[in-house]
Amino acid sequence: MAAEPIAAREKKSIDSRPWRQGKLSSVYRSRWFYLMMVPGLIYYILFHYVPMAGTLIAFQNYNLMKGIWGSSWVGFDNFRIIFDNPEFLQIMRNTLIISIYKIIGNMVPDVILALMLNEVRVRWFKKTVQTITYGPYFLSWVIVYGLAFSFLAPGSGLISTFVRDMGWGQIDLMADKNFFRPMLVLTEIWKNTGFGAIIYLAALASINQELYEAAVVDGAGRWRQLWHITLPGLRDVFVLLLIIRIGGILDAGFDQVFIFLNARVYDVGDIVDTWVYRYGFERLEFGVAAAMGVFKSLVGLILVIGANKLAKKVGGSGIW
């Protein structure tokens, strides 16, 4: 093959100069925006990417004194311990059930509250309701547990005392296996619904108002507008949040479950994260705990990719 003529190479070099200069000038004009990105990039590098080196612990008999590089390698033995553990199927079942309950119990109330607030025309009333429902989001789960305990504690709780005084007997809902999972869902709805509704309110604000005006001209009522304009306008946001939640389906909410959990409800409330906590901090089996973390990450990755492809096939828009 003949070599490319020198004139042609020089012409390509000259043609590429304006493009390079344009890119450099664009970067220079946006230099302050790139500078504002630096703290966020540093945060993710230090706390999300550098700690990934700890994944090696999953393949080691980790020793605190020897560290990552001094501990002995055991291959996949830690994963065998997990899958051979008689508690594995039970904690996976509990985790999936609680996560599915929370996905259904959280996303639907978020949408309903957002739709209700969107229909309110009195601004001060709308802002008041939004502030009241958004407030519990800032409470820690310790405080939420304290509030739940004040209502449900056996013998001294408000509801328990009312049932006893009415002559209906003694109840202990905090240690009731049948009530534990619904209690988790109800407390999470009370705590997080206001925050979730804000995301959907932002999506509602982005819907073109001319669509509603055209629907009114065509004689569509409020229900028709809701069905044909409002809900389709929320579809992409709903699918996006659903994919994210499906990816974290093995994260059933450690903070909440760990605080509400007690010995009498272990059969229905013990999840992957509480099991990892016991192995990692109580038994000091850091390798086994890290192996479970790797397993959770792989499952989450597979579910996110699968949910994203499924969302695109049914006509929605995925994450990428």
Side-chain angles (χ1 to χ4, degrees):
M1 179 183 251
E4 188 177 9
I6 297 176
R9 292 200 301 268
E10 291 179 352
K11 185 176 183 301
K12 285 184 179 180
S13 176
I14 294 173
D15 292 341
S16 64
R17 286 174 187 172
W19 180 83
R20 292 177 182 175
Q21 292 174 356
K23 294 295 291 184
L24 291 175
S25 61
S26 176
V27 171
Y28 180 77
R29 286 195 303 269
S30 305
R31 62 189 182 280
W32 299 115
F33 294 103
Y34 288 111
L35 185 62
M36 286 188 290
M37 290 174 56
V38 171
L41 292 174
I42 293 175
Y43 166 78
Y44 276 98
I45 291 173
L46 291 179
F47 296 101
H48 290 267
Y49 287 96
V50 173
M52 289 180 67
T55 306
L56 298 174
I57 297 175
F59 305 94
Q60 296 177 329
N61 182 16
Y62 181 71
N63 188 302
L64 282 172
M65 302 302 295
K66 296 181 180 179
I68 295 178
W69 308 114
S71 299
S72 60
W73 295 87
V74 295
F76 292 94
D77 288 352
N78 291 327
F79 293 91
R80 295 190 186 96
I81 293 175
I82 293 173
F83 299 135
D84 293 340
N85 194 303
E87 298 177 345
F88 177 74
L89 293 178
Q90 182 66 39
I91 63 173
M92 288 296 296
R93 179 174 178 272
N94 293 340
T95 303
L96 291 174
I97 291 176
I98 292 174
S99 293
I100 293 172
Y101 282 176
K102 286 186 175 183
I103 290 174
I104 298 173
N106 281 347
M107 299 193 69
V108 175
D110 293 351
V111 175
I112 293 175
L113 179 60
L115 293 174
M116 293 174 63
L117 290 174
N118 189 57
E119 296 297 322
V120 176
R121 295 294 177 261
V122 183
R123 289 184 60 84
W124 67 265
F125 181 75
K126 179 179 179 179
K127 295 295 184 182
T128 302
V129 173
Q130 191 171 350
T131 302
I132 294 173
T133 55
Y134 185 51
Y137 176 77
F138 296 98
L139 299 178
S140 68
W141 280 114
V142 176
I143 296 176
V144 175
Y145 175 79
L147 294 173
F149 188 82
S150 65
F151 281 91
L152 305 175
S156 60
L158 184 62
I159 295 177
S160 303
T161 302
F162 175 77
V163 171
R164 183 193 60 201
D165 293 344
M166 293 297 294
W168 297 336
Q170 296 283 347
I171 60 171
D172 187 2
L173 296 177
M174 301 293 292
D176 189 343
K177 294 183 179 180
N178 297 321
F179 184 71
F180 182 75
R181 290 168 179 166
M183 179 173 59
L184 295 179
V185 177
L186 290 173
T187 52
E188 181 147 336
I189 290 174
W190 177 79
K191 185 178 186 295
N192 295 330
T193 297
F195 176 79
I198 290 178
I199 299 176
Y200 291 107
L201 284 172
L204 289 171
S206 65
I207 298 177
N208 191 349
Q209 296 300 313
E210 294 180 357
L211 296 176
Y212 292 103
E213 296 172 1
V216 172
V217 172
D218 292 339
R222 298 300 298 176
W223 287 107
R224 285 290 182 181
Q225 296 175 36
L226 174 67
W227 184 257
H228 293 288
I229 300 175
T230 306
L231 291 181
L234 295 177
R235 183 184 60 186
D236 291 345
V237 176
F238 185 87
V239 170
L240 173 63
L241 295 177
L242 180 61
I243 292 173
I244 295 174
R245 286 180 177 269
I246 289 176
I249 198 168
L250 293 184
D251 294 320
F254 169 76
D255 296 345
Q256 180 192 19
V257 176
F258 182 75
I259 293 171
F260 280 82
L261 194 64
N262 58 75
R264 295 178 61 180
V265 295
Y266 258 93
D267 292 342
V268 297
D270 193 20
I271 61 174
V272 171
D273 287 340
T274 54
W275 185 88
V276 169
Y277 176 84
R278 291 199 303 276
Y279 261 80
F281 292 97
E282 294 181 4
R283 303 185 185 183
L284 299 181
E285 296 285 348
F286 296 105
V288 177
M292 180 62 85
V294 173
F295 172 73
K296 283 179 53 181
S297 300
L298 292 176
V299 172
L301 176 63
I302 294 171
L303 290 176
V304 166
I305 294 174
N308 187 69
K309 290 185 176 180
L310 181 62
K312 288 184 176 180
K313 284 186 177 181
V314 298
S317 59
I319 297 179
W320 62 86

